[in-house]
Amino acid sequence: MGLDSALHEIRHLDDLSSKDTPTHRLDARAKVLVTLFYLVSMLSLGRYEVSALLPFAAFPLLLAVQGEVPLALLLRRAALALPFVIFVGIFNPLIDRAVHFHVGPLAITGGMLSFASIVLRSLLAVTTGLALVAVTGFDQICRALGRLGMPTTLLVQLQFLYRYLFVLADEALRMLHARVQRCAKNNHPTLREYRTLLGSLLLRTLDRAGRVHQAMLCRGFDGQMPDLRPTTTFGPAEWRFCAIWGLFLIAVRILNIPQHLGNLPLYLGGKAGGLFP
Amino acid sequence: MSHHIVELKGLSFRYPDGTPALDSIDLTIHHGESVGLVGANGAGKSTLLQHLCGVHVPQAGRVRVGDVPVLPSTLGEVRRTVGLVFQDPDDQLFMPTVAEDVAFGPLNIGLPPEEAAQRVDEALAQVDALHLKHRPPHRLSGGEKRAVAIATVLACLPDIMVMDEPSANLDPHSRRLLINLLRSFHHTKILATHDLDMVLDLCERTVVMHKGRIMADGPTGELFSDIELLTACALEPPLRMQGCPLCGAGKEVVSELTVPSASG
Ligand SMILES: Nc1ncnc2c1ncn2[C@@H]1O[C@H](COP(=O)(O)OP(=O)(O)O)[C@@H](O)[C@H]1O
Ligand SMILES: [Mg+2]
């Protein structure tokens, strides 16, 4: 996966945010708040939890389905993060060999559990982030963060980062291509070449920043980004969205539902079996 | 309103690194004129244009726009009179959507949102880009970006449109659309370019620059048939005036030149 196709994928995802479904129409603050609460409650689960994570998949999946985001597309994007995640967790099974339980002849160690937990968590977090972008749009998310109290300077920077990421990446790609064309062998750039490349990219960025600033001044910029879009309000639909997902997240955070389901025969049979055997 | 809408007197400019860019420029442009500013790369065209909207403040000499001298204290006023279309539309389009970008200027001068929204629609309609309204600028084609960049300036209702290489990076079709579009504007226009064919289409008057100096200033057709002058300034006559090598036609274009004088 090259830089250009990765960028293309992000653009495509942002395109989906121009759809018009009830989920898209929700005030972005509601979606951002629930997403933040989702990340906190999911990421704060214990490091060996695997089954408790499963119900958390409901939020991104339902968000995507209601926002008419093709699930296959969403999961494919999320899978892009997999190599990084696996790299982060790969050593866990080697380090933590304490056996937690057996599945048939197979001994499940703490390392295996925490590895699975890391991979699952990361995938959930990435999928949720992508689903949020697809049903809200990057600039609406920025705007919601602003209305939720994020400082303007930070926000303007975030918007500009997103706007010029593409321009910058295009410039980097052009420079890489130009380099490849002049290389006899198609070898990878050396560390030193990367350094020069980054250096000139930085200079070009500074130049560009100067010109953009001039263009803004020419049209009367005075430090405040004006905002034309109609402001959505936090109405009943938003409260309902927050309440339903809030309660759901609290429930799945406190109760390990899959484990309860697994224990159901025990409860029904009346045999003694604690909540967490 | 003064009759001389733009006046440069003895303007010289040197970049901070010491590069001389402008050398005692004297230039007067009248209300309603359409002027081509031509010259090879590095002639100083961009630097000159940037003095007209206060990106640079004169180091030596003076610049006056309308009745207002260009000084650090008058930049606000000057920028409301002069609209500069930058060479690279990516520098000019920085908001998340086209509509917001076009609204940027009107909102900054304090128009209420409804009025700004109306200006956006008008400006986009003028450049035939209303259908791009909700698109993010980074997803547009080169020609579309250029059209929207022009709309961002139109929405500020400037008296003077100043454009830096407007036809650069455009394919022939987009270029032709641009020329037709620019012809429909009744603003005072200053086009910096080395696209001499476009100047031939749009400007009755041409100013030739070379190495920071003005080498010639006069009727477009006349200057463009002065091969010596053009060669000395590292320029070539427009293709349309170079004539067909087989039949020798083309020279007469000059005499046929009837550039409609702009209404003031
Ligand atoms: N930011 C800058 N710093 C230093 N020198 C510059 C800068 N921009 C332009 N120049 C120099 O100033 C001269 C005039 O440049 P410019 O006005 O951009 O020419 P043109 O637009 O006609 O191609 C050139 O010699 C160029 O190298
Ligand atoms: Mg230039």
Side-chain angles (χ1 to χ4, degrees), chain B residues 165-183:
Chain B
E165 312 268 7
S167 63
N169 297 326
L170 293 187
D171 61 46
H173 178 65
S174 315
R175 178 176 167 279
R176 182 50 54 192
L177 289 180
L178 174 83
I179 290 177
N180 292 339
L181 174 68
L182 295 184
R183 191 178 290 134

Side-chain angles (χ1 to χ4, degrees), chain B residues 215-243:
Chain B
M215 306 301 284
D217 180 353
T220 302
E222 223 167 89
L223 294 192
F224 285 0
S225 22
D226 186 344
I227 308 290
E228 237 169 86
L229 168 75
L230 294 184
T231 314
C233 298
L235 292 169
E236 276 185 0
L239 285 176
R240 252 184 306 148
M241 289 173 60
Q242 287 184 16

Side-chain angles (χ1 to χ4, degrees), chain B residues 15 17 19 21 40-47:
Chain B
Y15 278 98
D17 63 357
T19 318
N41 285 329
K45 306 181 293 292
S46 300
T47 312

Side-chain angles (χ1 to χ4, degrees), chain B residues 197-213:
Chain B
D197 279 280
M198 180 178 66
V199 173
L200 197 57
D201 271 337
L202 288 175
C203 307
E204 63 269 28
R205 175 178 167 199
T206 293
V207 174
V208 182
M209 286 187 76
H210 190 53
K211 297 195 171 156
R213 288 168 169 274

